[in-house]
Amino acid sequence: MADFGTEDWRNRFSDAMMHTIAPPLAMLVRGEGCYVWDDEGTEYLDFLAGIAVNSLGHAHPALVAAVTDQVGRLAHVSNYFASPPQLELAERLKRLTGAGATGRVYFCNSGAEANEAAFKLARLNRAGGPRTKIVSLHESFHGRTMGALALSGKPAMREPFLPVPGGVEHIHATLGALEAALDDTVAALFLEPVQGEAGVIDLPAGLLRRARELCTRHGVLLIIDEVQTGAGRTGAWFAYQHDGTQPDAVTLAKGIGGGLPIGALVTFGAASELFQRGQHGSTYAGNPLVTATANAVLGTIERDGLVANAARRGDQLWDIITGLGSPLIAEVRGRGLLLGVGLTEPVAARLAAAALSRGLIVNAANESTIRIAPPLIVGDAELAEFERRFGLALASI
Ligand SMILES: *Cc1c(COP(=O)(O)O)cnc(C)c1O
């Protein structure tokens, strides 16, 4: 039982775990700050942060204290009851998203669930008559459940599971396609401000603002998926705030919980009135444990100025990557601490493996892109160590 010899755990993993994902890269047993350690004592600099989840890094004192305190007080109640951390988090999210007084928050347990809730919200948009269509982008990623799969612009991911909920049209991220697709038959437009899973692809300049104008004109709900970009990661609390755009709804998860499973749908203005009592819900959603933890995460991000840190460290990281001068690097994309390193050759998987063997965790978002998303607490020492280890990995390819 206690033996975690390398081959032993790999075989046990294969025998016990459903084969939904690739074999794991290592067996991690401990983390602190921006570092994690595996079962053999090897240290890794974690510049993926559980895919933009560990906002405060690992074992942050504020996270540990919040979980410990709340689990010893009250971990879960049903939706028949309220709890102080739940209310505090809802009010905090209304304030941080800019949804303000007319905003409302629905809690759930993951990004996919937040988008499922948003999908149902979209179906309730019947302004001016029936609206049969939902518009989303090619290459987008909104999660793995059936509704979220229908929204996602990745046909191969959807194919084995057809039929998925209908009425979703996928378009390219261009102003022309947007203008052609949006009319009074569309219930909602789903957008990611930066397409993380597609390979850290930025939206074309001006697209979000134009989307806002067209959605307002046609009564379409503008629903922004900030599951990966939210909670300060791009150097703003939410990426739509860079453009001064206000959505009708925003979906959240990943970074707001700092490692505990939580998701949220935040609505703005009239969209807050669409759901009626009894139309949606979830047993665990917004329980005291996860909401107390999210309050600690977001409170720490606020108190320690980590949104500004994400902007500043992101700029530094950008300079470090381009400064490496590797002929393998074609470009850097993204914003703040969500960066994509576009490669001149499809060797991202090999490069990520080379980085891992030099004690650096980054991720191959697609065959020619390395995704980098360190904890928001990252500082000079970690950036210097990243430069050294990533430089070695690049040189080895
Ligand atoms: C990760 C992600 C999701 C899905 O979140 P889960 O918590 O894995 O269900 C949805 N949208 C975006 C943009 C994501 O990055």
Side-chain angles (χ1 to χ4, degrees), residues 110-113 115 141-144 192 197 225 227-228 253-254:
S110 68
E113 280 181 59
N115 286 320
F141 180 75
H142 298 289
R144 300 283 200 152
E192 294 162 89
E197 296 306 303
D225 181 341
V227 169
Q228 192 156 154
K254 292 198 168 110

Side-chain angles (χ1 to χ4, degrees), residues 152-177:
S152 297
K154 295 179 180 269
M157 218 178 247
R158 207 162 44 228
E159 203 65 37
F161 305 105
L162 295 175
V164 294
V168 182
E169 181 191 330
H170 294 94
I171 63 168
H172 290 287
T174 65
L175 293 176

